């Protein structure tokens, strides 16, 4: 199943997005609702909260007085962490139960207000953030919840700011317009990205990226790589080396809109083991066929590698699994770093790409076979020797 993390600041309209996704057929797991359920009257969770904070956090009806509890823990880091130690494991366990019960072909949307704050973004196939201007949020909190301005500002300030949420967002929905505008954006996302993504994940099928067109430099390519790298590390487990390589790793370089990522492995046997399945389940299925590098050194002996690609139709990505220290592994890092350091090399590389796309778009993916790269390899090796560069 496809697992989507949904988040947004208080008053952003996240609940409206969740409701629309439910109407479209998503299985929505609401962490706020679960958080209330695990401390409902008669639960072990409520008993533990009372034991930790006394019955002053209870209302006259014996239910949890959330305002009273908030007053106790707000501004008290130790108290907040004590509360989270009680509630968070219960919320995670119940969420896992609901997700496990969803159909195999479901798009499961986990509505988590503090998704960014607690670092959950890498655990999802895709993170959807709802963003709304603060004045609009303040007005909604006053209108819909009867919250006074000071309290609303305090609640907004206690959460991650917009910049942190944007950095975690694979999809950013701006909700400063009408409800109809928001619904239209959600509907487009559902049909154009979430449903195809779910089908690809279920079929363990990657999307082959199109390298036949060049895009203008995108200043967010680095941020997009960072999200992908975090997801890959989470899936791979351990302290894995993950690098942004290829054209989009060189700032300011016009390039095909494809994020190339290199995952370092100790051997091809490791790449073919459980690691391959974990990457596939995380949305990076293996591409069929044989893949190799042709190192630019005497003999040009093929060095076999493994290649995975993203299943997300909205974000083309190629994941190269290369053995640590291999010639192909080293060359990918050296080419990137030399082009970052050499403006003339970047200009020549860009012109080469434009010429190849103009003359043979279908062959643009094979630019690495051009003789220019043999010359660039010699220049890069000389630069590495002069600067003491190490991969």
């Amino acid at each position: 199943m496809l697992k989507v993390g949904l988040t947004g600041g208080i008053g952003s309209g996240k609940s409206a997005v969740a409701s629309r996704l439910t109407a479209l057929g998503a299985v929505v797991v609401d962490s706020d609702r679960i958080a209330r359920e695990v401390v409902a009257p008669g639960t072990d969770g409520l008993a533990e909260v009372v034991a930790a904070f006394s019955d002053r956090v209870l209302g006259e009806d014996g239910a949890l007085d959330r305002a009273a509890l908030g007053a106790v823990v707000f501004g008290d880091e130790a108290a907040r962490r004590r509360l989270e130690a009680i509630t968070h494991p219960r919320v995670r366990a119940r969420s896992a139960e609901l997700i496990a019960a969803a159909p195999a072909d479901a798009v499961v949307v986990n509505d988590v207000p503090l998704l960014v704050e607690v670092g959950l973004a890498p655990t999802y196939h895709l993170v959807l953030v709802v963003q709304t201007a603060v004045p609009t949020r303040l007005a909604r909190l006053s209108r819909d919840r009867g919250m006074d301005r000071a309290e609303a500002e305090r609640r907004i300030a206690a959460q991650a700011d917009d910049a942190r949420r944007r950095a975690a967002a694979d999809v950013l929905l701006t909700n400063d317009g009408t409800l109809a505008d928001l619904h239209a954006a959600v509907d487009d996302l559902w049909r154009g990205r979430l449903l195809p993504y779910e089908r690809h994940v279920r079929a363990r099928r990657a999307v082959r990226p199109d390298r036949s067109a060049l895009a203008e430099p995108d200043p967010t390519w680095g941020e997009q790589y960072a999200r992908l790298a975090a997801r890959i590390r989470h899936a791979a487990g351990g302290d894995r080396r993950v690098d942004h390589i290829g054209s989009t790793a060189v700032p300011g370089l016009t390039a095909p809109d494809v994020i190339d990522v290199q995952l370092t492995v100790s051997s091809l046997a490791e790449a073919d083991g459980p690691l391959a399945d974990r990457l596939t389940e995380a949305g990076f299925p293996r591409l069929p066929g044989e893949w190799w590098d042709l190192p630019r050194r005497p003999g040009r002996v093929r060095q076999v590698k493994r290649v995975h690609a993203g299943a997300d139709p909205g974000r083309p990505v190629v994941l190269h699994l290369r053995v640590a220290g291999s010639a192909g592994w080293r060359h990918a890092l050296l080419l990137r770093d030399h082009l970052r350091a050499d403006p003339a090399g970047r200009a020549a590389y860009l012109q080469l790409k434009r010429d190849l796309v103009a003359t043979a778009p279908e062959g643009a993916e094979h630019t690495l076979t051009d003789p220019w790269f043999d010359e660039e390899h010699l220049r890069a090796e000389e630069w590495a020797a002069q600067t003491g560069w190490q991969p």
Side-chain angles (χ1 to χ4, degrees):
M1 62 184 68
L2 186 72
K3 290 183 283 187
V4 177
L6 169 63
T7 194
I10 185 171
S12 64
K14 177 174 58 64
S15 296
V17 172
S19 296
R20 187 64 175 181
L21 287 168
T22 299
L24 290 169
V27 175
V28 175
V29 178
D30 186 337
S31 293
D32 255 355
R33 183 178 301 169
I34 295 171
R36 291 190 290 271
E37 291 175 357
V38 299
V39 290
T43 62
D44 293 340
L46 180 59
E48 195 168 339
V49 169
V50 171
F53 300 103
S54 82
D55 57 9
R56 59 180 168 161
V57 299
L58 291 178
E60 293 182 359
D61 59 357
L64 182 66
D65 184 334
R66 302 182 73 84
L69 178 61
V72 171
V73 302
F74 185 79
D76 186 333
E77 182 72 11
R80 183 180 64 80
R81 291 189 179 278
R82 191 174 184 186
L83 176 63
E84 290 173 350
I86 297 170
T87 59
H88 284 189
R90 289 175 166 85
V91 171
R92 286 195 295 267
R94 179 57 179 156
S95 297
E97 289 177 1
L98 294 173
I99 292 170
D105 62 349
V107 174
V108 176
V109 178
N110 197 181
D111 181 349
V112 187
L114 300 181
L115 182 151
V116 173
E117 290 85 342
V118 297
L120 291 177
T123 67
Y124 299 100
H125 291 104
L126 181 141
V127 171
L128 171 58
V129 171
V130 186
Q131 179 175 289
T132 306
V134 170
T136 303
R137 294 165 63 188
L138 290 171
R140 287 175 181 167
L141 292 172
S142 173
R143 180 193 67 205
D144 300 336
R145 306 193 193 186
M147 198 177 291
D148 65 53
R149 186 179 182 88
E151 173 65 10
E153 289 177 340
R154 184 178 69 89
R155 296 283 294 274
I156 289 173
Q159 296 181 331
D161 61 21
D162 286 345
R164 281 186 65 194
R165 276 191 288 265
R166 279 196 303 270
D170 298 292
V171 177
L172 187 67
L173 283 179
T174 302
N175 183 27
D176 292 309
T178 66
L179 184 60
D181 293 335
L182 182 65
H183 284 176
V186 174
D187 292 354
D188 288 345
L189 173 66
W190 177 260
R191 291 189 298 266
R193 190 165 182 179
L194 297 185
L195 287 181
Y197 196 176
E198 185 282 320
R199 289 194 294 269
H200 294 163
V201 167
R202 180 158 39 96
R204 303 169 74 88
R205 182 173 64 246
V207 177
R208 286 184 175 269
D210 178 12
R211 298 186 190 265
S212 65
L214 297 180
E216 289 303 309
D218 185 341
T220 72
W221 276 335
E223 295 175 3
Q224 293 180 56
Y225 156 74
R227 289 192 292 271
L228 293 164
R231 201 162 283 144
I232 289 165
R233 287 192 187 95
H234 178 78
D239 187 16
R240 302 270 183 173
R241 176 166 181 172
V242 181
D243 290 282
H244 190 185
I245 60 170
S247 302
T248 59
V250 182
L253 186 63
T254 300
D257 186 18
V258 179
I259 305 294
D260 283 283
V261 182
Q262 179 168 276
L263 174 60
T264 300
V265 295
S266 60
S267 66
L268 290 179
E270 180 187 22
D272 292 336
L275 174 61
D277 286 333
R278 293 199 298 270
L279 292 172
T280 297
E281 290 166 5
F284 304 98
R286 181 169 165 178
L287 288 178
E290 294 296 323
W291 302 86
W292 57 81
D293 296 309
L294 284 175
R296 284 169 165 77
R297 57 177 57 184
R300 295 174 67 88
V301 177
R302 288 183 177 183
Q303 293 199 333
V304 179
K305 64 178 179 178
R306 300 292 182 256
V307 178
H308 292 235
D312 179 2
R315 176 61 270 165
V317 56
V318 176
L319 175 59
H320 308 258
L321 278 65
R322 292 187 172 106
V323 176
S326 66
W329 175 87
R330 182 180 183 278
H331 179 71
L333 300 172
L334 175 59
L335 176 63
R336 177 200 66 188
D337 290 350
H338 183 238
L339 289 176
R340 285 175 174 176
D342 180 14
R346 289 197 301 274
Y349 185 32
L350 175 57
Q351 188 59 52
L352 171 68
K353 281 181 170 288
R354 285 176 171 163
D355 291 345
L356 288 169
V357 168
T359 57
E362 70 282 355
E365 189 169 353
H366 305 293
T367 56
L368 289 176
T369 62
D370 190 274
W372 180 88
F373 280 92
D374 290 320
E375 299 169 7
E376 164 60 17
H377 175 67
L378 295 176
R379 289 191 295 267
E381 288 291 0
E382 182 179 356
W383 171 79
Q386 291 172 348
T387 61
W389 176 89
Q390 294 294 326

